[in-house]
């Protein structure tokens, strides 16, 4: 993944709202009157019991604080987004997993909205963990510890019916939206370089801080295509009625990880043990099932697994 958004809810529209948006010619999420994502998780952190053995391993300073502070870019439904009655409550499978980790360790969990690119630098100071659909790659692994917990790839989307007749091999001169700081950002930039090298028009890369805004621009016709993590694109399709469709197949499947400060391998090891407990007792599966993302499940969490390029 991905970076963060403002405090805007994930304003993706159902079919009726899309018709309204098309008539108004809106081009940003802040202008949209669309609804927040439908469907809420059936998971409750209160159902997760403290594991005494694991809680005993919580570092003294964290135990004294009593709160597990998690940085998350809450614009990336269904992994993390702002919803609920007030439109400001963190929700999603990453949020539920964060709460389950905290409950297992006997800690209260606070999920704090952050700009995506600001999470990793703030680990160990502002945040204890970063849980925000981080794809594990060599560059990020140099600066933080990762605990693997999910598998995802890249999936593109266009307007329903693909009115531009686009293919992944023919994007030169097109407007493509990505969220700033995600693995899709350099992916599209490299595709654009190939276009120029072949004597074709460069791709116009629209890099925005919020995935919400990227999706809304696509729905409103402000861009020709978008690229995002596969579960995010899939969820966007489900939340925009009949407005979007996939372009091509999922590719570059990779592990996503919970980020921990590089200096705190002890906490990373503990988080790995907690995630594996949640996998073995079924809590992990229940969380992913409640957000229709069981396909991304892993069988075992690893601390600092080998990552792709």
């Amino acid at each position: 993944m991905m970076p963060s958004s403002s405090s805007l809810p994930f304003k993706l529209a159902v079919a009726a709202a899309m018709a309204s948006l098309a008539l108004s010619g809106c081009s940003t999420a802040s202008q949209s009157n669309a609804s927040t994502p439908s469907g809420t998780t059936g998971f409750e952190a209160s159902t997760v019991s403290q594991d005494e053995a694991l809680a005993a391993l919580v570092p003294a300073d964290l135990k004294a604080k009593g709160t597990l502070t998690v940085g998350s870019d809450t614009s990336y439904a269904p992994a993390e987004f702002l919803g609920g009655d007030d439109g400001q409550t963190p929700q999603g499978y990453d949020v539920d997993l964060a709460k389950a980790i905290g409950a297992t360790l006997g800690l209260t969990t606070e999920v704090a909205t952050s700009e995506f690119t600001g999470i990793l630098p703030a680990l160990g100071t502002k945040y204890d963990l970063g849980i925000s659909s981080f794809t594990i790659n060599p560059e990020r692994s140099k600066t933080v510890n990762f605990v693997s917990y999910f598998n995802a790839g890249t999936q593109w989307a266009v307007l329903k019916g693909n009115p531009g007749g686009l293919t992944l091999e023919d994007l030169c001169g097109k407007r493509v939206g990505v969220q700033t700081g995600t693995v899709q950002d350099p992916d599209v930039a490299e595709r654009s370089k190939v276009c120029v090298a072949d004597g074709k028009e460069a791709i116009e890369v629209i890099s925005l801080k919020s995935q919400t805004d990227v999706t809304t621009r696509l729905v409103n016709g402000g861009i020709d295509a978008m690229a995002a993590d596969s579960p995010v694109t899939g969820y966007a399709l489900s939340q925009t009625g009949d407005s979007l469709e996939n372009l091509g197949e999922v590719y570059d499947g990779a592990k996503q990880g919970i980020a921990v400060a590089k200096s705190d391998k002890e906490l990373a090891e503990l988080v790995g043990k907690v995630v594996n407990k949640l996998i073995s007792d079924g809590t992990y599966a229940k969380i992913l099932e409640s957000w229709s993302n069981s396909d991304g499940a892993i069988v075992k969490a690893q601390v600092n697994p080998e990552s792709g390029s």
Side-chain angles (χ1 to χ4, degrees):
M1 173 212 180
M2 114 183 223
S4 170
S5 83
S6 61
S7 58
L8 293 172
F10 189 84
K11 296 180 178 178
L12 298 179
V14 291
M18 286 300 98
S20 174
L21 285 170
L23 291 172
S24 67
C26 298
S27 62
T28 67
S30 60
Q31 294 171 309
S32 168
N33 294 318
S35 61
T36 54
S38 64
T40 56
T41 179
F43 171 78
E44 292 292 339
S46 60
T47 63
V48 178
S49 301
Q50 176 176 325
D51 184 294
E52 298 298 337
L54 292 174
L57 300 176
V58 174
D61 56 344
L62 182 54
K63 184 174 294 186
K65 186 174 66 165
T67 300
L68 185 69
T69 306
V70 179
S72 186
D73 173 359
T74 49
S75 75
Y76 221 55
E80 50 268 323
F81 64 97
L82 296 177
D85 293 339
D86 61 359
Q88 299 298 308
T89 302
Q91 296 182 338
Y93 60 79
D94 276 359
V95 175
D96 287 345
L97 181 59
K99 291 179 179 179
I101 291 170
T104 301
L105 295 175
L107 302 170
T108 300
T109 301
E110 177 186 347
V111 177
T113 294
S114 171
E115 197 166 295
F116 184 70
T117 53
I119 297 172
L120 299 187
L123 289 172
T125 53
K126 188 175 182 179
Y127 307 124
D128 301 305
L129 306 178
I131 307 181
S132 199
S133 302
F134 288 106
T135 299
I136 301 174
N137 60 31
E139 181 180 2
R140 289 171 176 164
S141 296
K142 291 177 183 177
T143 62
V144 300
N145 291 298
F146 275 119
V147 178
S148 60
Y149 74 101
F150 194 76
N151 286 317
T154 291
Q155 176 69 67
W156 289 62
V158 293
L159 286 173
K160 189 71 173 183
N162 193 7
L166 302 184
T167 68
L168 293 183
E169 292 72 38
D170 184 24
L171 294 165
C172 302
K174 304 302 181 182
R175 300 162 299 171
V176 174
V178 294
Q179 189 175 15
T180 307
T182 62
V183 295
Q184 288 78 31
D185 205 344
D187 178 351
V188 179
E190 286 300 316
R191 290 172 183 270
S192 183
K193 290 179 181 178
V194 172
C195 289
V196 174
D198 290 343
K200 300 178 182 179
E201 189 176 353
I203 296 172
E204 183 180 351
V205 184
I206 309 298
S207 182
L208 303 175
K209 291 182 178 180
S210 167
Q211 178 60 40
T212 304
D213 290 346
V214 174
T215 304
T216 305
R217 285 216 188 176
L218 178 58
V219 170
N220 295 334
I223 55 178
D224 300 302
M226 76 175 194
D229 285 350
S230 50
V232 173
T233 299
Y235 196 74
L237 264 63
S238 74
Q239 294 299 299
T240 54
D242 201 34
S243 299
L244 305 177
E245 66 179 47
N246 289 328
L247 177 67
E249 303 296 328
V250 176
Y251 63 89
D252 285 349
K255 297 181 179 71
Q256 293 184 341
I258 298 167
V260 185
K262 196 67 172 178
S263 60
D264 202 348
K265 182 72 173 297
E266 179 184 4
L267 180 58
E269 295 286 356
L270 176 57
V271 170
K273 292 176 181 178
V274 173
V275 174
N276 280 323
K277 178 187 183 299
L278 296 172
I279 290 173
S280 64
D281 69 15
T283 301
Y284 171 82
K286 181 179 179 181
I287 290 171
L288 294 184
E289 286 168 5
S290 69
W291 291 101
S292 301
N293 263 278
S294 298
D295 287 348
I298 62 172
V299 296
K300 183 179 180 180
Q302 296 177 293
V303 177
N304 296 326
E306 290 186 6
S307 56
S309 58

